Amino acid sequence: MFLTSEACLLETAVSKICNRRYMAGVVATAEACDSNAALLASGDLRVLQPVFQIYGQCRSFSGPVVTLKVFEDNVLVRELLETRGEGKVLVIDGGGSMRCALVGGNLGQLAHNNGWSGIVVNGCIRDVDEINGCGIGVRALGSHPLKSNKKGHGDKHVPVYIAGVYIAGSFIRDGEWLYADSDGILVSKSELSI
């Protein structure tokens, strides 16, 4: 696929914005692990298992966590993404389902427009090309073309268990901090200093 010069300029501008955000407040996950051995040992800093694919323009993102637990139903995903994100990261426990997508291109753009820093989906996304064009960071187990149910079932702001974090001693909770980059994803009980 060839990009027009306008599309290339837009892609470059989005990349610069993501990089500026990265430089301003995102902690490199490898550095965070190296410099926070005591937090790792205590379980106050946890590393998610490397099961997520990288999507979206922002390969690095961080922010306070907002949790959501749903299964093959994305009504509550939309409800949360319609609110002001203010640099937060939506962590969706979709039960690891690989049978439908919980986030698509429209929700990716909505998240970007409303100031969400990123989305982590323990499940699938769709409209990958559209999401890859959004100025947001997204992690998911994979992609699936089928949309989800629309029944509105699920729970907001509840502890969630994804990608082996429970093994490290705790669920992921609202208000914790998530850090994602090309090396992986960390969850911290409090904001890490740079």
Side-chain angles (χ1 to χ4, degrees):
M1 175 177 163
F2 294 100
L3 296 175
T4 66
S5 60
E6 289 174 351
C8 286
L9 288 173
L10 178 62
E11 185 174 325
T12 301
V14 169
S15 180
K16 285 180 183 177
I17 290 168
C18 292
N19 287 337
R20 219 176 293 129
R21 259 194 258 171
Y22 176 76
M23 298 307 288
V26 176
V27 175
T29 59
E31 270 184 48
C33 287
D34 292 349
S35 60
N36 290 288
L39 292 177
L40 284 165
S42 71
D44 287 347
L45 178 64
R46 289 100 67 208
V47 181
L48 272 64
Q49 293 176 357
V51 296
F52 295 100
Q53 303 296 315
I54 298 174
Y55 303 98
Q57 288 286 317
C58 295
R59 297 182 69 78
S60 301
F61 59 93
S62 67
V65 169
V66 174
T67 60
L68 179 60
K69 186 175 181 70
V70 296
F71 188 74
E72 298 180 0
D73 186 330
N74 77 346
V75 170
L76 297 181
V77 175
R78 175 174 286 282
E79 281 182 18
L80 279 172
L81 293 177
E82 286 175 340
T83 66
R84 292 182 50 140
E86 300 173 334
K88 294 177 183 159
V89 177
L90 180 58
V91 176
I92 305 166
D93 179 2
S97 174
M98 303 296 281
R99 299 189 305 193
C100 66
L102 293 173
V103 175
N106 291 336
L107 292 183
Q109 190 60 51
L110 182 65
H112 170 74
N113 293 345
N114 286 329
W116 290 85
S117 175
I119 304 169
V120 177
V121 184
N122 185 30
C124 292
I125 64 166
R126 68 184 207 159
D127 305 323
V128 170
D129 292 336
E130 290 177 38
I131 288 176
N132 285 342
C134 293
I136 190 169
V138 177
R139 300 295 188 272
L141 298 179
S143 61
H144 197 291
L146 184 65
K147 66 182 175 180
S148 69
N149 296 315
K150 309 286 185 212
K151 297 179 181 175
H153 297 157
D155 297 298
K156 300 178 192 175
H157 312 293
V158 295
V160 296
Y161 163 69
I162 63 171
V165 165
Y166 186 70
I167 294 168
S170 69
F171 290 90
I172 299 172
R173 291 177 165 74
D174 261 23
E176 292 189 310
W177 278 74
L178 185 139
Y179 299 89
D181 63 15
S182 296
D183 287 330
I185 302 174
L186 304 178
V187 176
S188 176
K189 290 198 174 184
S190 59
E191 184 176 7
L192 299 173
S193 59
I194 299 174

